[in-house]
Amino acid sequence: MTKIYKYFPQGILDVVFQRDGFCGLKCSYPKDYNDPFELFLAVDLTIQPRLLAFYSDVVQEIPQLPTTCFSKSPTVTPMWAHYGGNQTGFVLEFDADALKEWDTDLALTDVTYRNESNDKLVGAIAYAAGTKKPRHSYFLMRHAFHAAYFTKLEQWSYEQECRLVASPDNIETINDCQVLFIPLKLVTSIVIGPNFPVDKVRDSKNLGEKNGFDWYQLSIGKSTSIPYMKNIDGKSFNFSDSSIVKASAICSNCEEPISDKSELCPWCNITESDKINAAHSNPLRIIDRYGGLEEYFRGADKIGK
């Protein structure tokens, strides 16, 4: 089962689940993408002017179809910062395979990251211009549309993005927003951020219990830069091999996931004896004991300059 993840800011939990049996996903159009340069990747602008003119005449404007974006991971820290309201929001996990079966008209595809136009597209332009056959121009047009919707610059690769392009017939306009309603049976988990509003935590748990999907809260560990999760029973989970799985080993003190070779995480492994020895070995403590720490810092700063 392939899982994909949608990040949401805080404050819209009720909006997303406003319709019984569905969750609403806001869609946007290519002209509104957060990367204004990604459409540049649809064609190599260094090709001969006659080929560029042919490309422009065949492709003309990229069709504006409603699109919503997902990630292949629920633990991408910049995504939590940008789209998860600085870890105050939440993430929904979807069954991608079931999503495709629910509506075969949906185009759900991974984004390709590159800094240059695809060589195949450049070749398709020259080939179509040379043969002047309708089917080759059609293939060129379809290739350009795919590149425009599913290609981004490499600097965005941290998003691990996949995109869903929907039919306009399935979109509803609500408060000037284009919304695609997905059946709740396709939602498999909700992950709330570590700074999710305390007064809304119970509401998020109730949603999971009512609709049969798992509940987790993201946790920031002390000994790893990769967040982990705790479920409704307080058990620790990792994101591994494209899915959320129970941690194979946890610190016996703080319950943070650790390697199988340890019983404690690095910080909990520090003993009182280690702390005492560290304090006795710290030369700054000795200087501070005699009241000269600030003067020492000022002198050290002058040397540094």
Side-chain angles (χ1 to χ4, degrees):
M1 183 186 300
T2 305
K3 302 294 181 61
I4 55 175
Y5 302 87
K6 181 75 173 176
Y7 287 75
F8 297 88
Q10 69 114 334
I12 66 168
L13 189 68
D14 295 338
V15 175
V16 173
F17 293 97
Q18 63 181 299
R19 181 171 297 182
D20 287 343
F22 294 86
C23 67
L25 306 184
K26 182 180 177 182
C27 295
S28 58
Y29 299 102
K31 62 184 178 64
D32 301 319
Y33 285 171
N34 58 5
D35 178 6
F37 301 106
E38 59 187 89
L39 295 184
F40 283 44
L41 296 172
V43 63
D44 182 356
L45 299 179
T46 66
I47 61 176
Q48 298 176 27
R50 66 176 185 84
L51 294 179
L52 189 60
F54 180 80
Y55 166 86
S56 178
D57 195 68
V58 169
V59 175
Q60 298 188 23
E61 293 185 1
I62 299 298
Q64 298 296 309
L65 296 175
T67 306
T68 192
C69 303
F70 301 84
S71 175
K72 291 187 283 187
S73 169
T75 59
V76 182
T77 299
M79 294 290 285
W80 276 103
H82 298 159
Y83 304 108
N86 286 322
Q87 302 176 355
T88 63
F90 61 99
V91 165
L92 292 182
E93 178 188 69
F94 293 85
D95 181 342
D97 299 327
L99 186 58
K100 293 177 181 178
E101 292 177 2
W102 169 66
D103 188 345
T104 55
D105 289 334
L106 297 176
L108 181 61
T109 304
D110 291 349
V111 168
T112 298
Y113 298 96
R114 59 173 65 245
N115 288 326
E116 298 177 350
S117 179
N118 192 325
D119 289 340
K120 292 182 179 180
L121 179 56
V122 175
I125 297 172
Y127 190 69
T131 65
K132 298 180 176 59
K133 293 183 177 181
R135 68 176 183 274
H136 296 154
S137 293
Y138 172 77
F139 293 148
L140 167 62
M141 183 175 63
R142 301 305 302 174
H143 198 119
F145 291 171
H146 187 275
Y149 275 90
F150 301 111
T151 309
K152 294 186 75 169
L153 291 168
E154 286 185 355
Q155 65 193 42
W156 294 90
S157 61
Y158 69 86
E159 293 182 335
Q160 301 180 49
E161 185 178 350
C162 55
R163 285 179 175 167
L164 184 155
V165 180
S167 167
D169 296 337
N170 295 332
I171 299 298
E172 297 184 35
T173 302
I174 301 177
N175 296 328
D176 295 326
C177 294
Q178 307 304 305
V179 180
L180 174 67
F181 284 98
I182 303 291
L184 279 180
K185 64 182 181 181
L186 305 183
V187 178
T188 48
S189 299
I190 182 172
V191 182
I192 66 172
N195 301 323
F196 192 80
V198 176
D199 60 330
K200 292 293 184 180
V201 171
R202 172 43 58 187
D203 291 342
S204 68
K205 290 181 178 179
N206 289 340
L207 278 169
E209 293 172 355
K210 176 183 176 181
N211 297 291
F213 51 77
D214 296 326
W215 179 94
Y216 304 94
Q217 183 161 25
L218 198 74
S219 295
I220 307 300
K222 299 180 296 181
S223 55
T224 176
S225 60
I226 301 175
Y228 66 102
M229 287 156 275
K230 288 195 172 184
N231 71 352
I232 202 165
D233 297 319
K235 303 298 183 182
S236 297
F237 287 74
N238 288 321
F239 181 71
S240 177
D241 296 327
S242 303
S243 60
I244 299 173
V245 296
K246 188 175 180 180
S248 59
I250 61 172
C251 173
S252 59
N253 184 45
C254 69
E255 298 187 343
E256 178 178 327
I258 55 176
S259 67
D260 296 336
K261 299 180 180 179
S262 307
E263 292 185 3
L264 296 169
C265 74
W267 292 106
C268 291
N269 203 35
I270 297 175
T271 65
E272 286 301 316
S273 177
D274 292 330
K275 294 179 181 179
I276 292 172
N277 289 334
H280 288 166
S281 302
N282 185 351
L284 298 180
R285 281 185 176 271
I286 299 174
I287 299 173
D288 186 50
R289 183 178 301 172
Y290 293 97
L293 192 59
E294 290 187 9
E295 183 178 352
Y296 174 80
F297 284 160
R298 285 195 295 270
D301 287 341
K302 289 180 180 179
I303 295 174
K305 294 179 181 179

